[in-house]
């Protein structure tokens, strides 16, 4: 079995490759957008569907999105108190609150969960990721009210989110035991296998450290919230609720993920502090290489 360092080193090096290709101008933001669209519309839905349609769904999996939402809300409150203490503006406060509470349960959480715990870990991560999707909708509605925007657009974007439909159809095929023809299953499986490398390259292409020196204090604090406090809170919750097994492992692992990339989408869409959000994402992604290694070591032990 691979060591925790080796498990984290694989996605870290793939992300670093994307970052290197961007710095050398071999790939640019246009390439990142294309990769992201392929992942969101083809590869990731295929990976979700093919793994979910024949999976055994345990009762404890159903608790995972609820636990994710609870931790996100707690982190948002803690970040709000921190922003009040720092006398941050409303725009800055919302940037920090979102960055502190939205977890990268998909783009980084999926490959790490799969690499550490295999298909069973990935399936549990799928259910945990529903919490991030729900929080994105909630934040979209709140930000539309606070900063102006169309709430109906938030709902439309959610309904048209293809990975969510992959979960729905995967569950339908699972519950009703619907067979899939060999050709269709093989094609979907091939597309699904391309997911992880494309995700890692897209993350590397999206990293930008240019503004980190201007937001170092907030970046460090948010990193502590995301990478240390969040898994600690989750550990308390799962222990109190007597959740065990793979659901226990994935709940803590996913809680320790970096800030979600979709946080930057919200920052752009609602005119929050984009430079600060970029700094927070970059810092948490880089530092998560070390903190996730520790978490994986403890869970594996």
């Amino acid at each position: 079995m691979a060591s925790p360092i080796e498990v984290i080193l694989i996605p870290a090096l793939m992300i670093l490759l994307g970052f290197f290709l961007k710095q050398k101008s071999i790939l640019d933001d246009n390439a990142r957008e294309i990769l992201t669209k392929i992942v969101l519309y083809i590869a990731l839905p295929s990976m979700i569907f093919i793994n979910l349609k024949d999976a055994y769904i345990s009762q404890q999996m159903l608790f995972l999105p609820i636990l994710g939402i609870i931790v996100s809300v707690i982190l948002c409150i803690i970040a709000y108190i921190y922003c009040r203490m720092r006398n941050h503006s409303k725009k800055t406060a919302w940037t920090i609150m979102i960055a502190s509470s939205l977890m990268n349960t998909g783009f980084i959480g999926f490959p790490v969960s799969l690499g550490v715990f295999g298909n069973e870990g990935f399936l549990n991560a799928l259910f945990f990721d529903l919490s991030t999707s729900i929080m994105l909708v909630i934040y979209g509605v709140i930000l539309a009210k606070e900063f102006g925007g169309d709430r109906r657009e938030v709902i439309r974007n959610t309904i048209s989110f293809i990975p969510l439909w992959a979960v729905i159809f995967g569950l339908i095929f699972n519950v009703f035991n619907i067979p899939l023809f060999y050709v269709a299953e093989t094609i979907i499986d091939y597309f699904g296998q391309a997911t992880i490398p494309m995700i890692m390259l897209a993350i590397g292409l999206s990293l930008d450290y240019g503004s980190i020196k201007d937001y170092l204090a907030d970046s460090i604090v948010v990193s502590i919230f995301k990478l240390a406090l969040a898994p600690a809170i989750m550990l308390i919750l799962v222990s109190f609720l007597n959740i065990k097994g793979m659901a226990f492992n994935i709940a803590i692992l996913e809680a320790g993920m970096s800030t979600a990339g979709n946080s930057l989408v919200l920052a752009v869409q609602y005119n929050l502090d984009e430079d600060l959000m970029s700094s927070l994402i970059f810092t948490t992604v880089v530092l998560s290489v070390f903190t996730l290694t520790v978490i994986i070591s403890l869970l594996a032990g």
Side-chain angles (χ1 to χ4, degrees), residues 142-191:
I142 293 174
L143 293 174
K145 177 183 178 182
E146 293 292 327
F147 297 97
D150 189 352
R151 298 182 191 180
R152 289 173 296 182
E153 184 178 354
V154 177
I155 305 300
R156 284 196 297 268
N157 290 338
T158 304
I159 293 175
S160 62
F161 190 56
I162 303 301
L164 179 61
W165 284 103
V167 172
I168 293 171
F169 278 105
L171 289 173
I172 291 174
F173 273 67
N174 185 301
V175 171
F176 295 100
N177 198 26
I178 301 174
L180 199 63
F181 294 116
Y182 171 77
V183 173
E185 184 168 2
T186 303
I187 291 173
I188 295 173
D189 185 47
Y190 281 156
F191 279 131

Side-chain angles (χ1 to χ4, degrees), residues 136-290:
L136 276 169
V137 175
I138 293 173
Y139 278 135
V141 172
I142 293 174
L143 293 174
K145 177 183 178 182
E146 293 292 327
F147 297 97
D150 189 352
R151 298 182 191 180
R152 289 173 296 182
E153 184 178 354
V154 177
I155 305 300
R156 284 196 297 268
N157 290 338
T158 304
I159 293 175
S160 62
F161 190 56
I162 303 301
L164 179 61
W165 284 103
V167 172
I168 293 171
F169 278 105
L171 289 173
I172 291 174
F173 273 67
N174 185 301
V175 171
F176 295 100
N177 198 26
I178 301 174
L180 199 63
F181 294 116
Y182 171 77
V183 173
E185 184 168 2
T186 303
I187 291 173
I188 295 173
D189 185 47
Y190 281 156
F191 279 131
Q193 290 177 27
T195 304
I196 302 233
M198 286 196 291
I199 284 178
M200 297 297 101
L201 285 174
I203 292 173
L205 291 170
S206 67
L207 293 179
D208 183 6
Y209 64 87
S211 60
I212 188 172
K213 61 181 181 297
D214 299 323
Y215 304 103
L216 187 58
D218 287 332
S219 297
I220 295 300
V221 170
V222 170
S223 296
I224 293 172
F225 290 164
K226 290 291 302 105
L227 307 177
L229 186 59
I233 294 172
M234 183 62 78
L235 175 60
I236 294 172
L237 285 175
V238 293
S239 299
F240 177 76
L241 295 173
N242 198 31
I243 292 176
K244 300 178 180 178
M246 190 58 67
F248 175 93
N249 292 332
I250 293 301
I252 295 174
L253 182 63
E254 289 278 31
M257 292 296 158
S258 59
T259 297
N262 282 332
S263 300
L264 185 59
V265 176
L266 290 176
V268 172
Q269 186 173 358
Y270 296 101
N271 196 30
L272 302 180
D273 194 328
E274 297 176 35
D275 289 337
L276 171 59
M277 186 65 81
S278 296
S279 175
L280 299 176
I281 292 173
F282 179 86
T283 307
T284 56
V285 168
V286 172
L287 293 180
S288 69
V289 173
F290 305 99

